Amino acid sequence: MSNSYFSFKQFTVSQDKCAMKVGIDGVLLGAWASVENAKTILDVGTGTGLIALMLAQRSNAEVAAIDIEPNAVLQATENVQNSPWQNRIRITECSLQDFQIKSIGQFDLIVSNPPYFVNSLKTPHESRSAARHTDTLKHEELIDNSVRLLNQTGRICIILPIVEGSKCVFYAESKGLFCTKKVTVYPKPEVAAKRVLLEFSFINSSEKESKLIIESEIRHRYSPEFAELVRDFYLK
């Protein structure tokens, strides 16, 4: 693992008003997903390349990162080229469906911060809608294609809203994938949970369930647990 750390402030984010930002969901997933024994990683819907870079920093794995949005691919490519891990990260403009057909390798770890709005109004900006809505990658398709790309001892790690996460757990089990880790994420104490981090495996082991609170009662004051999780990725 490299000892060179990057800051999120170094990220290139297009000034175009439909550009994707570095969000807390990606930060959580990139810091939480286990990279233990991972030699090959696939990041589905890489956006700015945030998660791919975080996982490359935390491991010695070869990372393939894909996205269907050309502007995202350009941003991710620039961020990777400006990082210490450019020789281990490959950015490709490609859908997961097409990647699965063309790929000849299987992965130890697949990660995705997938689209999550199923039936809601879309923004007028096509790229932002693609990143947020499931039209281009339904959660069932994410599971189906991941099953074909994952090796038998590998893992899938994703982050979803609570309701969509529950549905995904049920569907994944029908495809032979079992939820081995579940972290319910709360914005603050006393505030309803908004997200859930999920790890799936073909191995049916006991599910490890926990919770994570992002902020303390004081606004913009991170909880000790969240601060510890992401400490290698922030300058302060």
Side-chain angles (χ1 to χ4, degrees), residues 162-220:
I162 299 298
V163 173
E164 285 80 359
S166 296
K167 292 178 180 178
C168 193
V169 169
F170 181 79
Y171 183 79
E173 189 166 338
S174 75
K175 297 297 180 178
L177 282 172
F178 302 94
C179 184
T180 50
K181 291 181 184 177
K182 177 182 178 181
V183 179
T184 304
V185 181
Y186 297 81
K188 292 183 177 181
E190 313 303 326
V191 175
K194 300 295 185 182
R195 295 286 186 271
V196 62
L197 289 156
L198 299 167
E199 179 189 88
F200 297 99
S201 170
F202 290 118
I203 301 170
N204 188 5
S205 60
S206 299
E207 179 183 312
K208 297 178 182 178
E209 189 167 350
S210 60
K211 69 177 183 179
L212 176 68
I213 298 171
I214 295 176
E215 286 187 346
S216 66
E217 293 87 350
I218 303 173
R219 183 169 174 78
H220 300 314

Side-chain angles (χ1 to χ4, degrees), residues 35-225:
V35 295
E36 184 179 4
N37 299 323
K39 296 180 180 179
T40 53
I41 298 174
L42 173 63
D43 176 19
V44 180
T46 195
T48 59
L50 168 73
I51 295 172
L53 283 162
M54 293 177 74
L55 296 177
Q57 174 174 312
R58 296 176 53 219
S59 73
N60 293 314
E62 298 291 327
V63 182
I66 61 175
D67 205 293
I68 62 169
E69 213 286 304
N71 189 51
V73 171
L74 288 173
Q75 290 182 53
T77 299
E78 183 174 348
N79 287 323
V80 167
Q81 288 175 345
N82 291 329
S83 81
W85 309 286
Q86 56 181 290
N87 294 331
R88 290 195 286 115
I89 304 175
R90 184 179 76 256
I91 308 292
T92 305
E93 184 181 333
C94 184
S95 69
L96 176 61
Q97 296 89 334
D98 288 342
F99 184 85
Q100 183 274 135
I101 294 171
K102 298 173 184 176
S103 179
I104 58 173
Q106 290 187 311
F107 292 88
D108 300 313
L109 174 64
I110 297 174
V111 295
S112 184
N113 175 14
Y116 49 82
F117 289 139
V118 178
N119 293 307
S120 60
L121 290 175
K122 298 181 180 180
T123 74
H125 305 297
E126 184 177 349
S127 61
R128 182 170 292 175
S129 285
R132 301 176 72 191
H133 291 263
T134 62
D135 292 7
T136 54
L137 181 62
K138 293 180 171 59
H139 300 152
E140 293 84 357
E141 291 179 302
L142 173 60
I143 295 298
D144 290 343
N145 287 279
S146 294
V147 164
R148 301 184 187 106
L149 288 165
L150 193 69
N151 67 41
Q152 286 302 305
T153 58
R155 302 176 302 277
I156 302 172
C157 293
I158 62 176
I159 184 166
L160 285 171
I162 299 298
V163 173
E164 285 80 359
S166 296
K167 292 178 180 178
C168 193
V169 169
F170 181 79
Y171 183 79
E173 189 166 338
S174 75
K175 297 297 180 178
L177 282 172
F178 302 94
C179 184
T180 50
K181 291 181 184 177
K182 177 182 178 181
V183 179
T184 304
V185 181
Y186 297 81
K188 292 183 177 181
E190 313 303 326
V191 175
K194 300 295 185 182
R195 295 286 186 271
V196 62
L197 289 156
L198 299 167
E199 179 189 88
F200 297 99
S201 170
F202 290 118
I203 301 170
N204 188 5
S205 60
S206 299
E207 179 183 312
K208 297 178 182 178
E209 189 167 350
S210 60
K211 69 177 183 179
L212 176 68
I213 298 171
I214 295 176
E215 286 187 346
S216 66
E217 293 87 350
I218 303 173
R219 183 169 174 78
H220 300 314
R221 181 79 58 86
Y222 291 137
S223 72
E225 295 79 12

Side-chain angles (χ1 to χ4, degrees), residues 2-12 22 26-27 30-31 48-59 79-80 82-85 88-89 230-236:
S2 172
N3 290 322
S4 299
Y5 297 135
F6 74 88
S7 162
F8 298 136
K9 293 181 179 180
Q10 296 170 329
F11 259 55
T12 297
V22 173
V27 173
T48 59
L50 168 73
I51 295 172
L53 283 162
M54 293 177 74
L55 296 177
Q57 174 174 312
R58 296 176 53 219
S59 73
N79 287 323
V80 167
N82 291 329
S83 81
W85 309 286
R88 290 195 286 115
I89 304 175
V230 302
R231 65 185 175 89
D232 288 340
F233 305 101
Y234 282 102
L235 290 177
K236 296 182 179 180

